[in-house]
Amino acid sequence: MWTTFLVVLKMNLRSRSALFWLIVFPLVLATMFNGVLGQIDQGYDIKPMSMAVVEDANWHRAVGADAFVESLAGKKSSSDATTGSHEGTATGLNQRLIDITTVASTTEARHRLADDGVQGYLNADGDGRLRMTLSSDTADSAGDSASSDVNATVTIAALHGAIELYNRTDAITRETIEEHPNAAASARFWRSVGDAADLTKETALTNFRPDAIARYYYALLGMACLMAMSYAVAAVTFAQANLSALGIRRTVAPLGRARQLLAGFLASWLCSGTSLLIALAYIRYGCGVLLGGREPAAVLAVAVASFMSCAFGTMIGAIPKLSHGAKIGLTSAIPCVLSLFSGLYGSFAMELSDWIARHEPVLAFINPAQQVTNLFYDILYYDSYRPFAATCARLLVMSVAFLAVGVILLRRQRYEHL
């Protein structure tokens, strides 16, 4: 049995096509993902916009406007504010939203806007409320997903929220002072106004910060896992007397068929697991797709996924009256088709995968590629390991079913002559 294990292992390592499709191809595709999609997540970052500040008479009457804008520009933290009614109502973040250019009038700000000197301007009206005006190009880029300025929407939304917070705080403060004049002399009142920004806090809903392109890499691992079926298919095929000369010799060998198949299965499991670990290591360390500090769980996921892949390959390899080439073709066609429904082929495939998961969960449940992909979702995004364990259990159930079918098919095969 040990000799058979080594023979199958050497056979797998000498297969150039298997080495290409199971090691080289995932690395090349991951490199393409990293080059083409590697900057997508930066589209969700906040980058400062060039803004003119109209410091006219209305602006000087707006109490706390200077401190507010300085906070937006990163020149002054909201926690450093000690005077004024709105100095603590900036963003509550250590994030620079704007680059300031000071102008004396709205007319001058519009001239700078027309000359593309700034992307917008801030001014105050007669009631002390702040207003933001954007150039037409900036507004268009914020609404165009294909625009090169992919950060405009995020930054404008952050600015809009900060300005709305300032204006609401201004209105509430003025109304409170009008109804309760003594509040203006209370330090506790001004501290409560300054703490308004702390009413909104960042909360982590997942175990790790979501990566916009991580799902493409997970879908790639699902496809690579299923393509690793070719190892088990070859191990089973070369043990069948009607498909190869090696199968004839193995049939008349003293070692029983069960031990031969077990040795071939273990060698295939080792090869497929190693190829997936190489792809996972490259994705993690070469492409920088983090796993939230759960690398040991990812290794376990690879072991479970490769076991399922070998069980699937055993079932395909046991199909009677089908040539070795046809079976190898299935190991390429099946992963390509199933990966469509796990989201590998771009945004449309991702939307299709999400739709299936929401409306037809049974189809996602029986899709091995989707379940392998879910293994890494569960590791990265859930605080508990329970979803990960449930997905592992589903893959093991699939493995048992595949092996049962494969054993039944192999036991029914008989040869009239060798």
Side-chain angles (χ1 to χ4, degrees):
M1 179 175 172
W2 174 248
T3 302
T4 304
F5 174 86
L6 292 178
V7 169
V8 175
L9 184 62
K10 292 178 181 179
M11 180 182 65
N12 290 337
L13 295 177
R14 290 171 180 171
S15 176
R16 295 182 179 179
S17 61
L19 291 177
F20 174 80
W21 287 110
L22 303 178
I23 296 180
V24 178
F25 179 73
L27 298 185
V28 171
L29 201 56
T31 303
M32 291 177 58
F33 285 168
N34 190 52
V36 176
L37 306 173
Q39 305 300 320
I40 286 182
D41 56 341
Q42 296 183 8
Y44 298 93
D45 293 340
I46 295 177
K47 294 185 178 180
M49 299 177 60
S50 59
M51 301 290 289
V53 176
V54 182
E55 293 189 349
D56 54 7
N58 289 336
W59 182 267
H60 292 299
R61 285 196 296 268
V63 181
D66 287 333
F68 173 76
V69 170
E70 287 179 356
S71 179
L72 292 179
K75 296 181 180 179
K76 188 174 183 179
S77 172
S78 60
S79 60
D80 296 335
T82 56
T83 61
S85 61
H86 311 298
E87 295 179 10
T89 63
T91 61
L93 301 173
N94 295 321
Q95 173 69 53
R96 185 163 58 95
L97 297 180
I98 59 175
D99 292 325
I100 298 176
T101 300
T102 302
V103 296
S105 66
T106 303
T107 302
E108 183 180 352
R110 290 174 178 170
H111 285 312
R112 288 180 178 266
L113 209 64
D115 297 338
D116 294 328
V118 294
Q119 295 175 275
Y121 65 86
L122 296 173
N123 68 307
D125 60 16
D127 296 327
R129 295 184 179 87
L130 300 189
R131 296 288 182 266
M132 177 175 65
T133 303
L134 300 175
S135 66
S136 58
D137 292 340
T138 302
D140 292 340
S141 65
D144 184 6
S145 59
S147 172
S148 59
D149 190 5
V150 294
N151 303 94
T153 302
V154 179
T155 305
I156 291 172
L159 275 173
H160 182 268
I163 293 172
E164 286 297 316
L165 177 60
Y166 174 94
N167 289 334
R168 288 197 304 269
T169 306
D170 177 85
I172 293 173
T173 302
R174 292 176 184 273
E175 182 179 351
T176 302
I177 292 177
E178 288 178 2
E179 295 180 356
H180 307 281
N182 295 332
S186 172
R188 182 178 179 182
F189 169 75
W190 293 114
R191 283 197 301 270
S192 66
V193 173
D195 291 339
D198 294 333
L199 295 177
T200 301
K201 297 182 180 180
E202 182 178 1
T203 302
L205 300 178
T206 60
N207 172 65
F208 190 71
R209 181 179 180 270
D211 190 336
I213 63 172
R215 1 181 10 185
Y216 292 98
Y217 291 99
Y218 297 160
L220 171 60
L221 288 174
M223 179 181 183
C225 172
L226 292 186
M227 293 186 71
M229 294 187 299
S230 60
Y231 285 130
V233 168
V236 174
T237 299
F238 291 131
Q240 294 175 290
N242 62 330
L243 295 179
S244 67
L246 179 59
I248 296 176
R249 294 194 296 269
R250 286 184 176 179
T251 301
V252 298
L255 185 64
R257 175 181 289 188
R259 291 188 176 184
Q260 292 184 30
L261 293 174
L262 178 60
F265 182 89
L266 293 177
S268 301
W269 187 14
L270 176 61
C271 291
S272 61
T274 301
S275 63
L276 286 178
L277 280 178
I278 293 173
L280 176 65
Y282 180 75
I283 290 172
R284 167 63 183 86
Y285 299 103
C287 300
V289 179
L290 302 180
L291 293 169
R294 292 180 170 180
E295 283 76 6
V299 174
L300 176 60
V302 166
V304 173
S306 58
F307 183 85
M308 182 278 301
S309 173
C310 290
F312 201 174
T314 299
M315 183 184 70
I316 294 177
I319 299 176
K321 299 180 180 180
L322 198 62
S323 66
H324 175 68
K327 293 176 181 179
I328 293 298
L330 287 177
T331 64
S332 298
I334 292 175
C336 291
V337 173
L338 294 182
S339 295
L340 170 64
F341 305 106
S342 65
L344 179 64
Y345 306 125
S347 58
F348 168 76
M350 284 295 177
E351 293 174 1
L352 177 61
S353 176
D354 293 339
W355 186 91
I356 292 174
R358 287 192 300 266
H359 299 92
E360 299 293 340
V362 175
L363 297 179
F365 182 86
I366 62 176
N367 185 351
Q370 182 64 62
Q371 293 306 313
V372 173
T373 304
N374 288 345
L375 277 178
F376 298 95
Y377 289 161
D378 299 340
I379 291 173
L380 190 60
Y381 295 137
Y382 287 98
D383 295 332
S384 171
Y385 282 100
R386 183 175 298 178
F388 173 71
T391 306
C392 287
R394 286 193 287 270
L395 287 173
L396 291 176
V397 170
M398 287 184 184
S399 302
V400 172
F402 295 149
L403 287 175
V405 174
V407 169
I408 293 173
L409 292 176
L410 288 172
R411 291 187 64 181
R412 292 183 176 180
Q413 292 181 12
R414 297 291 184 272
Y415 309 107
E416 294 182 1
H417 57 84
L418 297 177

